[in-house]
Amino acid sequence: MAPWEGLTTEDGGVATGERAFSFISKSFCEAQKIAESDVKLMKSRVQSLIDLRATIDKEWESLMKSPSFNEATKGLDSALQTFLVSSKGSTHLPIFSVNPSKPSTATTMKKVEVGGEKSMVVRRRSSSQQGWRKLCTRVNDSNWEPLQRVKRTVHKSLVDIETTTAATTTTTKTPADFLQNVKKNLDDVVPPNLPQLFEKFSWPAEPFLDHLGCKKDDTNMGDYLSSCKHKVDQLSSSLALKGKELGVVGKALAGDLFSKGLINLDLRIANVVQSTRYCNKGGVWGGDLTPAKQATEDTRQNIAIFTTASLPWMTGTAVNPLFRAAYLAKSGKKNITLLVPWLCKKDQEQVYPNRMTFESPEEQETFVRGWLENRVGFKSDFKIAFYPGKFSTEKRSILAAGDISEFIPDQEADVAVLEEPEHLTWYYHGKRWTDKFQHVVGVVHTNYLEYVKREKNGKLQAFLLKYVNNWVVRIYCTKVLRLSAATQVLPKSLVCNVHGVSPKFLDIGKQLASESEEGRSRFSKGAYYLGKMIWGKGYRELVDLLAQNKEVLDNTPLDVFGTGEDSQAVQAEAQAHGLRMNFHEGRDHADVLLHGYKVFINPSLSDVVCTTTAEALAMGKIVVCADHPSNDFFRPFPNCLMYKTPDEFVEKVKLALVSDPVPLSPELQHLLSWEAATERFINCAELDSLPPRGTKGTGGQKKMLSREATNRQTMTLSLSLPKIGNIVDRGLAFTHYFLSGIEAARWAAGALPGTMHIDEQHRKDLGLPASAGKSFFHR
């Protein structure tokens, strides 16, 4: 039986040997096409460099014909030759002074012949340095071999300047035309200074001068070079102007190359060079490849925050992780990346308010950053990345598609923060999070068991979901933070509210408090409620309590702000009971229209920690809420009135309507802030106690043993066995990976079709490479 026999294809047929060989042949053809494309790109790149060399050589020829340039070159030749000879015979040159602290007592002048030309050499002698006389004699000897080597080196450098330095345009005929053309196209250029020129042309003589005890960094050039400065300035200006001209030509050619798509080849070549840790020190025509200095490694901790929603969907899992990323990055001590789902246009219209859509992830990122900066008042230095997501109308939430952990490179996989870890891993099919990341922190936002109980066969679904949540959290997280005790008890978890409120709400509260001190009325309106209009968001409890106590409360009017799938049902039931509930479209809680309300009523029992409750308290309002574990964090606030029974609800509402709010103390304001929430998060997640980057260990808790401790361990005869818990966790992880890779099992568990892998539309939107095809196992 052939290896391919018995394998089924997508249409249900049996794969034949001919189809299998066709698949293999197609793969080889695609690889060959890619290789040929790379070769063409390389050839095109080489040809472009040859054309660039020819263009520059042609323009240089035109410049060489300029009389002013030739005269300046000869002047520099003479000046440098004079300087190099005199530097060997002088004992008082600032750069090559053996003992500069001693003044000179005599000065002589002598004509010497260098390179066939006579030059005037200034030689200063010190009475205390008689040993230099013999050296000067040798310097003046034209047959002295060390000096001959220096002369040859300098001469070769000058010849190289004449044959390889820059150019002017081919249309320039005279020096005046050249300067006029430069003025039209270039900005003012500062000529190179003399020390830089001397550094460039005298480096071949450094070994010989060091042998004589001369140090080039003893002092500056001093007065000696001032005599030839006027000659060097002429060539300096020409060289600088020519460099600018080359820059214009180079930019034009670079733009042409980029337009042809050759930048892709450049990136590939750059990756190869970077992997070998070599860099080119030369210019356009080449240069030595020398080992590059290793860049200073960024030792900051990398934190990747994965969440299940994004703005403009105004939900807790879109807003709170965004603030967390901003305040974690504010200190500059950590590298933060926020990963949010990207929805196709069809899903965007269903999820985002007013059917808002975005053409690209970049457009949505601009919207998110603008909203955030308006709220926090500072620019946040963190990255925003998008992973593919699909909206489930049945669950009314976004589900991830594919292995979203791959959107973080392995070298940056230090800490992963899973906002709603159970939601992100129900149908996750990929590498185990704790194997890729050093530390995985789950933040539980939602009481899913409470939501499921409200559905058909809710008790059975809640029973199964409870164990599924325990399963996935145990195998994928090393630490779990529950915002309140209202959530399910999960492995490795503790209760801590790591959320805060935007500083904008605290500023509103301070402003209203100052108006109260001035005698102006802060609140002119009564009670209101704000939240997404679905029964599970507290609307069921709200309608029941108001209908049950309609007469006792004198049918108190209540303004409701929100939109959602159950809007019509909620409004119909309120009208059926004759309640004075005025319904409005959903608004931002910081909207000016809501500032005048004094009482916020929130009877929800499904929240974990209600964000709107915290925002209302920050604005100085009175909050009436249930005595429930989800509201434990708000107990210290004097403006928070809690009730246990319907009778207490009536009592608290009446009290709130006739009372004035108590101004928040600075301590309570800080307790609500994101600065305090970030401190709680870092401490509870144990981020600062993690070992250095690069160390490894089980479950992200990596231990570093000293050498003495290691030696003591080798002397023991005990045999260390793997922990039973780790073996069980790996078995559970393998089972989840296996089941999540079977479409039938995913469908039975409620996953959306096509979420095991990234579809082609998401690949196109996110700029990902096209899919190479699915394996037969996944088919």
Side-chain angles (χ1 to χ4, degrees):
M1 180 177 179
W4 57 81
E5 292 183 5
L7 299 178
T8 59
T9 59
E10 292 181 352
D11 57 359
V14 178
T16 63
E18 182 180 356
R19 291 183 180 179
F21 282 118
S22 175
F23 175 77
I24 297 173
S25 176
K26 182 179 179 180
S27 300
F28 278 115
C29 290
E30 291 178 354
Q32 185 177 3
K33 290 179 180 179
I34 295 174
E36 291 176 354
S37 176
D38 288 347
V39 171
K40 290 180 180 179
L41 291 176
M42 294 179 71
K43 288 181 178 179
S44 178
R45 180 61 170 167
V46 171
Q47 184 60 42
S48 66
L49 292 177
I50 293 174
D51 295 341
L52 176 63
R53 172 72 177 272
T55 301
I56 293 174
D57 289 343
K58 186 176 180 180
E59 293 176 347
W60 172 244
E61 262 179 48
S62 176
L63 179 62
M64 288 295 297
K65 296 178 181 180
S66 173
S68 61
F69 182 80
N70 293 331
E71 182 179 353
T73 305
K74 293 180 181 179
L76 178 63
D77 190 353
S78 176
L80 290 176
Q81 291 171 1
T82 301
F83 172 74
L84 289 173
V85 174
S86 63
S87 63
K88 309 303 181 299
S90 172
T91 62
H92 195 64
L93 282 177
I95 287 183
F96 302 109
S97 175
V98 177
N99 190 359
S101 61
K102 295 183 179 181
S104 60
T105 58
T107 303
T108 62
M109 300 181 64
K110 185 175 182 179
K111 293 184 179 180
V112 296
E113 185 173 348
V114 180
E117 295 184 4
K118 292 185 178 181
S119 303
M120 188 67 68
V121 177
V122 180
R123 184 176 61 192
R124 296 171 181 158
R125 294 179 300 172
S126 174
S127 58
S128 60
Q129 296 175 341
Q130 300 297 329
W132 279 93
R133 295 180 178 178
K134 295 182 179 180
L135 177 60
C136 294
T137 303
R138 289 190 175 184
V139 169
N140 294 328
D141 185 5
S142 60
N143 295 326
W144 191 35
E145 181 57 26
L147 181 58
Q148 289 296 324
R149 289 200 299 267
V150 174
K151 292 179 181 179
R152 288 194 296 269
T153 304
V154 174
H155 182 70
K156 185 178 182 300
S157 299
L158 294 174
V159 172
D160 291 340
I161 293 175
E162 294 179 352
T163 56
T164 61
T165 328
T168 182
T169 58
T170 56
T171 59
T172 303
K173 299 180 179 180
T174 65
D177 294 336
F178 168 73
L179 294 177
Q180 187 66 22
N181 185 40
V182 169
K183 289 179 181 180
K184 292 180 180 179
N185 296 280
L186 305 176
D187 299 325
D188 293 336
V189 179
V190 179
N193 55 36
L194 290 174
Q196 291 175 342
L197 286 175
F198 180 77
E199 178 82 12
K200 178 67 178 178
F201 296 124
S202 65
W203 68 266
E206 286 182 9
F208 167 71
L209 299 175
D210 289 341
H211 180 71
L212 297 179
C214 302
K215 301 296 182 181
K216 67 176 182 179
D217 55 352
D218 285 344
T219 180
N220 54 28
M221 297 178 115
D223 297 333
Y224 176 75
L225 290 179
S226 60
S227 60
C228 60
K229 182 178 184 302
H230 66 281
K231 299 180 181 179
V232 178
D233 283 344
Q234 298 177 8
L235 183 58
S236 299
S237 300
S238 300
L239 293 176
L241 293 173
K242 148 264 166 183
K244 270 290 188 177
E245 189 72 18
L246 285 182
V248 175
V249 177
K251 287 181 181 178
L253 290 175
D256 182 61
L257 295 178
F258 183 83
S259 64
K260 294 179 181 178
L262 297 181
I263 191 66
N264 295 328
L265 178 61
D266 294 341
L267 292 176
R268 298 182 190 179
I269 297 174
N271 289 334
V272 175
V273 174
Q274 184 179 11
S275 64
T276 58
R277 296 181 62 237
Y278 274 80
C279 68
N280 190 351
K281 292 179 64 177
V284 178
W285 295 278
D288 295 333
L289 287 175
T290 58
K293 294 182 179 180
Q294 187 173 4
T296 304
E297 183 180 358
D298 187 357
T299 59
R300 293 183 297 175
Q301 194 176 62
N302 295 302
I303 301 178
I305 302 176
F306 294 81
T307 189
T308 57
S310 175
L311 295 178
W313 191 11
M314 297 299 296
T315 184
T317 52
V319 174
N320 291 310
L322 182 60
F323 281 119
R324 193 185 328 281
Y327 280 89
L328 281 173
K330 186 178 180 180
S331 64
K333 298 179 180 179
K334 303 179 188 298
N335 294 321
I336 309 298
T337 302
L338 176 65
L339 293 100
V340 297
W342 166 257
L343 301 177
C344 297
K345 272 197 173 182
K346 181 180 178 181
D347 287 341
Q348 292 182 33
E349 294 175 352
Q350 297 184 62
V351 176
Y352 300 149
N354 302 322
R355 301 179 67 86
M356 183 184 298
T357 60
F358 300 97
E359 295 294 334
S360 65
E362 292 77 14
E363 182 181 351
Q364 186 171 0
E365 179 180 351
T366 301
F367 174 87
V368 171
R369 290 192 183 277
W371 183 92
L372 177 64
E373 291 176 10
N374 182 51
R375 285 302 184 90
V376 299
F378 60 86
K379 289 190 176 182
S380 304
D381 184 18
F382 68 91
K383 295 185 290 186
I384 296 180
F386 291 82
Y387 67 82
K390 292 188 176 183
F391 180 67
S392 172
T393 55
E394 180 182 355
K395 294 181 173 57
R396 295 171 180 172
S397 59
I398 299 173
L399 301 178
D403 183 0
I404 61 177
S405 70
E406 294 297 327
F407 285 82
I408 295 296
D410 291 341
Q411 61 270 21
E412 298 178 8
D414 296 340
V415 178
V417 179
L418 305 183
E419 309 277 353
E420 294 194 314
E422 64 275 61
H423 185 151
L424 287 169
T425 55
W426 282 331
Y427 312 112
Y428 174 74
H429 181 70
K431 187 175 183 180
R432 187 179 176 187
W433 291 90
T434 51
D435 288 342
K436 175 164 184 171
F437 289 89
Q438 177 186 2
H439 193 59
V440 182
V441 181
V443 181
V444 180
H445 289 247
T446 309
N447 189 355
Y448 286 108
L449 300 184
E450 185 65 29
Y451 283 108
V452 170
K453 288 178 182 179
R454 301 169 185 263
E455 300 177 0
K456 185 179 180 180
N457 300 323
K459 291 185 178 179
L460 177 60
Q461 291 188 57
F463 174 81
L464 297 175
L465 182 61
K466 176 181 178 181
Y467 290 98
V468 171
N469 289 344
N470 282 332
W471 180 11
V472 294
V473 167
R474 174 176 178 173
I475 62 179
Y476 289 128
C477 295
T478 55
K479 194 78 174 179
V480 179
L481 305 181
R482 300 160 53 207
L483 299 180
S484 73
T487 58
Q488 172 187 347
V489 179
L490 294 168
K492 310 171 188 176
S493 67
L494 58 87
V495 176
C496 180
N497 179 20
V498 292
H499 286 177
V501 299
S502 166
K504 193 169 186 177
F505 294 101
L506 293 171
D507 293 339
I508 294 173
K510 294 176 183 178
Q511 178 183 354
L512 294 175
S514 63
E515 293 177 359
S516 178
E517 293 176 358
E518 295 174 359
R520 289 183 290 174
S521 176
R522 287 188 289 169
F523 305 105
S524 58
K525 302 177 183 178
Y528 76 107
Y529 178 64
L530 181 143
K532 186 178 180 181
M533 200 169 291
I534 58 176
W535 288 115
K537 282 290 186 180
Y539 285 92
R540 180 76 273 166
E541 294 89 344
L542 181 62
V543 172
D544 290 345
L545 285 170
L546 293 178
Q548 184 179 350
N549 300 282
K550 176 181 176 182
E551 302 297 333
V552 182
L553 289 173
D554 297 329
N555 201 8
T556 300
L558 179 70
D559 290 340
V560 179
F561 297 87
T563 54
E565 294 85 349
D566 297 331
S567 297
Q568 295 181 357
V570 174
Q571 295 181 31
E573 188 160 347
Q575 292 177 0
H577 288 287
L579 301 177
R580 297 173 61 188
M581 296 178 66
N582 305 313
F583 293 92
H584 308 274
E585 289 187 358
R587 288 180 177 271
D588 193 317
H589 206 176
D591 195 296
V592 178
L593 182 63
L594 302 178
H595 291 183
Y597 289 95
K598 182 173 68 172
V599 180
F600 179 73
I601 299 177
N602 183 12
S604 176
L605 299 177
S606 61
D607 288 321
V608 176
V609 173
C610 186
T611 303
T612 53
T613 297
E615 293 170 349
L617 290 172
M619 288 189 286
K621 303 179 186 297
I622 297 176
V623 174
V624 177
C625 60
D627 190 348
H628 187 261
S630 61
N631 296 319
D632 286 343
F633 181 78
F634 306 120
R635 291 186 186 277
F637 293 83
N639 291 334
C640 184
L641 305 181
M642 296 186 179
Y643 65 89
K644 293 182 179 179
T645 64
D647 293 337
E648 288 187 2
F649 172 76
V650 175
E651 178 185 347
K652 300 299 183 182
V653 171
K654 288 183 176 181
L655 178 61
L657 291 174
V658 298
S659 302
D660 290 329
V662 179
L664 288 180
S665 64
E667 292 78 14
L668 292 178
Q669 291 178 6
H670 178 71
L671 186 63
L672 287 173
S673 68
W674 266 105
E675 286 83 0
T678 304
E679 294 173 2
R680 295 193 296 268
F681 175 77
I682 293 175
N683 292 333
C684 294
E686 301 176 352
L687 298 184
D688 288 341
S689 61
L690 294 177
R693 294 180 58 192
T695 57
K696 298 202 178 211
T698 302
Q701 300 296 333
K702 305 173 183 177
K703 301 179 181 179
M704 299 182 65
L705 301 175
S706 64
R707 182 174 298 181
E708 294 180 0
T710 304
N711 293 336
R712 286 197 300 269
Q713 287 183 350
T714 57
M715 297 174 64
T716 60
L717 299 177
S718 60
L719 179 64
S720 31
L721 299 175
K723 294 182 179 180
I724 301 299
N726 294 336
I727 298 177
V728 173
D729 289 349
R730 291 199 171 274
L732 292 173
F734 175 78
T735 303
H736 184 266
Y737 179 82
F738 177 77
L739 294 176
S740 64
I742 302 175
E743 283 291 358
R746 295 173 64 88
W747 175 82
L752 290 176
T755 55
M756 189 192 310
H757 303 285
I758 305 174
D759 59 25
E760 295 303 323
Q761 183 61 44
H762 276 106
R763 291 183 179 275
K764 180 180 178 181
D765 292 346
L766 297 175
L768 302 176
S771 175
K774 302 176 182 177
S775 66
F776 286 109
F777 175 79
H778 288 144
R779 290 180 183 177

Tab-separated table of all heavy atoms in Angstrom, residues 15 31 45 60 148 152 233 236 255 312 334 349-350 387 396 406 511 584 596 679-680 779:
chain	number	residue	atom	x	y	z
A	15	ALA	N	-7.194	9.996	-2.285
A	15	ALA	CA	-6.045	10.580	-2.976
A	15	ALA	C	-5.305	9.506	-3.745
A	15	ALA	O	-4.979	8.461	-3.217
A	15	ALA	CB	-5.118	11.231	-1.969
A	31	ALA	N	8.952	26.530	-5.183
A	31	ALA	CA	10.268	26.848	-4.608
A	31	ALA	C	11.234	27.336	-5.686
A	31	ALA	O	12.026	28.265	-5.468
A	31	ALA	CB	10.825	25.616	-3.905
A	45	ARG	N	20.018	44.181	-8.733
A	45	ARG	CA	20.686	45.018	-7.729
A	45	ARG	C	22.139	45.275	-8.111
A	45	ARG	O	22.629	46.410	-8.022
A	45	ARG	CB	20.616	44.311	-6.367
A	45	ARG	CG	21.269	45.077	-5.232
A	45	ARG	CD	20.618	46.406	-5.020
A	45	ARG	NE	21.079	47.046	-3.814
A	45	ARG	CZ	20.877	48.292	-3.495
A	45	ARG	NH1	20.214	49.076	-4.315
A	45	ARG	NH2	21.311	48.778	-2.348
A	60	TRP	N	32.625	62.552	-12.116
A	60	TRP	CA	33.925	62.922	-11.541
A	60	TRP	C	34.872	63.438	-12.623
A	60	TRP	O	35.679	64.322	-12.415
A	60	TRP	CB	34.508	61.723	-10.821
A	60	TRP	CG	35.913	61.936	-10.370
A	60	TRP	CD1	37.020	61.285	-10.769
A	60	TRP	CD2	36.352	62.913	-9.434
A	60	TRP	NE1	38.123	61.777	-10.146
A	60	TRP	CE2	37.738	62.787	-9.314
A	60	TRP	CE3	35.706	63.899	-8.705
A	60	TRP	CZ2	38.500	63.599	-8.485
A	60	TRP	CZ3	36.456	64.698	-7.864
A	60	TRP	CH2	37.847	64.546	-7.767
A	148	GLN	N	60.416	56.702	3.296
A	148	GLN	CA	59.969	56.361	1.954
A	148	GLN	C	58.602	55.670	1.987
A	148	GLN	O	57.740	55.912	1.141
A	148	GLN	CB	61.003	55.443	1.260
A	148	GLN	CG	62.287	56.146	0.878
A	148	GLN	CD	62.029	57.240	-0.159
A	148	GLN	OE1	61.187	57.096	-1.032
A	148	GLN	NE2	62.771	58.343	-0.048
A	152	ARG	N	55.281	57.001	0.156
A	152	ARG	CA	54.516	56.203	-0.802
A	152	ARG	C	53.043	56.094	-0.384
A	152	ARG	O	52.131	56.137	-1.218
A	152	ARG	CB	55.145	54.808	-0.955
A	152	ARG	CG	56.468	54.801	-1.705
A	152	ARG	CD	56.846	53.390	-2.108
A	152	ARG	NE	57.078	52.540	-0.962
A	152	ARG	CZ	58.259	52.372	-0.382
A	152	ARG	NH1	59.340	53.010	-0.865
A	152	ARG	NH2	58.391	51.573	0.664
A	233	ASP	N	41.204	74.590	2.639
A	233	ASP	CA	39.801	75.020	2.642
A	233	ASP	C	39.192	74.946	1.257
A	233	ASP	O	38.014	74.632	1.091
A	233	ASP	CB	39.679	76.434	3.198
A	233	ASP	CG	39.799	76.456	4.702
A	233	ASP	OD1	39.678	75.388	5.318
A	233	ASP	OD2	40.002	77.545	5.251
A	236	SER	N	38.391	71.397	0.597
A	236	SER	CA	37.373	70.950	1.545
A	236	SER	C	35.990	71.341	1.072
A	236	SER	O	35.038	70.547	1.116
A	236	SER	CB	37.644	71.540	2.931
A	236	SER	OG	38.885	71.111	3.413
A	255	GLY	N	15.406	55.733	-4.919
A	255	GLY	CA	13.965	55.753	-5.130
A	255	GLY	C	13.566	54.888	-6.303
A	255	GLY	O	12.550	54.205	-6.272
A	312	PRO	N	-13.633	50.401	18.753
A	312	PRO	CA	-14.610	51.206	19.491
A	312	PRO	C	-15.684	50.425	20.226
A	312	PRO	O	-16.686	51.029	20.631
A	312	PRO	CB	-15.221	52.066	18.394
A	312	PRO	CG	-15.137	51.222	17.172
A	312	PRO	CD	-13.891	50.437	17.293
A	334	LYS	N	9.568	48.587	31.024
A	334	LYS	CA	9.114	47.348	30.407
A	334	LYS	C	8.694	47.622	28.966
A	334	LYS	O	8.183	48.708	28.653
A	334	LYS	CB	7.942	46.744	31.194
A	334	LYS	CG	8.250	46.479	32.671
A	334	LYS	CD	7.059	45.903	33.407
A	334	LYS	CE	7.319	45.825	34.901
A	334	LYS	NZ	8.442	44.940	35.210
A	349	GLU	N	-19.277	45.591	11.400
A	349	GLU	CA	-20.595	46.222	11.350
A	349	GLU	C	-21.516	45.694	12.441
A	349	GLU	O	-22.386	46.418	12.928
A	349	GLU	CB	-21.215	46.000	9.974
A	349	GLU	CG	-20.480	46.709	8.842
A	349	GLU	CD	-21.056	46.376	7.487
A	349	GLU	OE1	-21.927	45.476	7.429
A	349	GLU	OE2	-20.645	46.989	6.483
A	350	GLN	N	-21.334	44.431	12.845
A	350	GLN	CA	-22.170	43.860	13.889
A	350	GLN	C	-21.721	44.271	15.295
A	350	GLN	O	-22.551	44.406	16.193
A	350	GLN	CB	-22.153	42.324	13.808
A	350	GLN	CG	-22.721	41.751	12.543
A	350	GLN	CD	-22.766	40.237	12.588
A	350	GLN	OE1	-23.452	39.641	13.430
A	350	GLN	NE2	-22.022	39.588	11.706
A	387	TYR	N	-4.428	40.360	15.988
A	387	TYR	CA	-4.522	38.943	15.634
A	387	TYR	C	-5.909	38.689	15.031
A	387	TYR	O	-6.851	39.444	15.278
A	387	TYR	CB	-4.284	38.051	16.859
A	387	TYR	CG	-5.341	38.131	17.938
A	387	TYR	CD1	-6.532	37.418	17.847
A	387	TYR	CD2	-5.146	38.920	19.074
A	387	TYR	CE1	-7.502	37.474	18.835
A	387	TYR	CE2	-6.113	38.996	20.074
A	387	TYR	CZ	-7.287	38.272	19.944
A	387	TYR	OH	-8.254	38.341	20.926
A	396	ARG	N	-22.024	36.161	21.584
A	396	ARG	CA	-21.904	37.618	21.653
A	396	ARG	C	-20.508	38.045	22.106
A	396	ARG	O	-20.330	38.917	22.949
A	396	ARG	CB	-22.963	38.189	22.608
A	396	ARG	CG	-24.376	37.981	22.120
A	396	ARG	CD	-25.386	38.350	23.161
A	396	ARG	NE	-26.744	38.138	22.666
A	396	ARG	CZ	-27.842	38.228	23.419
A	396	ARG	NH1	-27.730	38.538	24.691
A	396	ARG	NH2	-29.024	38.023	22.897
A	406	GLU	N	1.830	32.970	18.144
A	406	GLU	CA	2.866	33.148	17.147
A	406	GLU	C	3.059	34.604	16.744
A	406	GLU	O	4.019	34.937	16.053
A	406	GLU	CB	2.533	32.313	15.893
A	406	GLU	CG	2.565	30.809	16.117
A	406	GLU	CD	3.949	30.332	16.510
A	406	GLU	OE1	4.934	30.930	16.043
A	406	GLU	OE2	4.053	29.369	17.287
A	511	GLN	N	-13.591	68.569	39.725
A	511	GLN	CA	-14.220	69.789	39.236
A	511	GLN	C	-15.589	69.995	39.882
A	511	GLN	O	-15.922	71.105	40.316
A	511	GLN	CB	-14.362	69.725	37.718
A	511	GLN	CG	-15.048	70.941	37.103
A	511	GLN	CD	-15.241	70.791	35.602
A	511	GLN	OE1	-14.760	69.830	35.002
A	511	GLN	NE2	-15.967	71.726	35.006
A	584	HIS	N	-32.266	55.839	26.201
A	584	HIS	CA	-31.434	56.666	25.320
A	584	HIS	C	-30.348	55.782	24.707
A	584	HIS	O	-30.035	54.694	25.217
A	584	HIS	CB	-30.785	57.815	26.092
A	584	HIS	CG	-31.755	58.631	26.890
A	584	HIS	ND1	-32.458	59.687	26.352
A	584	HIS	CD2	-32.139	58.541	28.197
A	584	HIS	CE1	-33.236	60.224	27.275
A	584	HIS	NE2	-33.065	59.555	28.417
A	596	GLY	N	-24.564	65.754	35.226
A	596	GLY	CA	-25.545	66.305	36.159
A	596	GLY	C	-26.310	65.273	36.962
A	596	GLY	O	-27.055	65.638	37.889
A	679	GLU	N	0.300	49.131	40.277
A	679	GLU	CA	1.131	48.637	41.381
A	679	GLU	C	0.596	47.313	41.914
A	679	GLU	O	1.373	46.381	42.174
A	679	GLU	CB	1.167	49.681	42.499
A	679	GLU	CG	1.882	50.980	42.124
A	679	GLU	CD	1.746	52.033	43.207
A	679	GLU	OE1	1.138	51.728	44.259
A	679	GLU	OE2	2.240	53.164	43.007
A	680	ARG	N	-0.717	47.214	42.072
A	680	ARG	CA	-1.310	45.958	42.548
A	680	ARG	C	-1.065	44.831	41.550
A	680	ARG	O	-0.788	43.683	41.937
A	680	ARG	CB	-2.815	46.143	42.782
A	680	ARG	CG	-3.163	47.110	43.897
A	680	ARG	CD	-4.639	47.006	44.274
A	680	ARG	NE	-5.538	47.394	43.204
A	680	ARG	CZ	-6.028	48.608	43.023
A	680	ARG	NH1	-5.675	49.593	43.855
A	680	ARG	NH2	-6.857	48.868	42.027
A	779	ARG	N	-7.465	18.275	7.732
A	779	ARG	CA	-8.599	18.162	6.807
A	779	ARG	C	-9.600	17.137	7.330
A	779	ARG	O	-10.759	17.227	7.034
A	779	ARG	CB	-8.125	17.758	5.415
A	779	ARG	CG	-7.337	18.865	4.705
A	779	ARG	CD	-6.889	18.420	3.346
A	779	ARG	NE	-6.085	19.421	2.687
A	779	ARG	CZ	-5.522	19.238	1.517
A	779	ARG	NH1	-5.678	18.093	0.858
A	779	ARG	NH2	-4.792	20.193	0.972
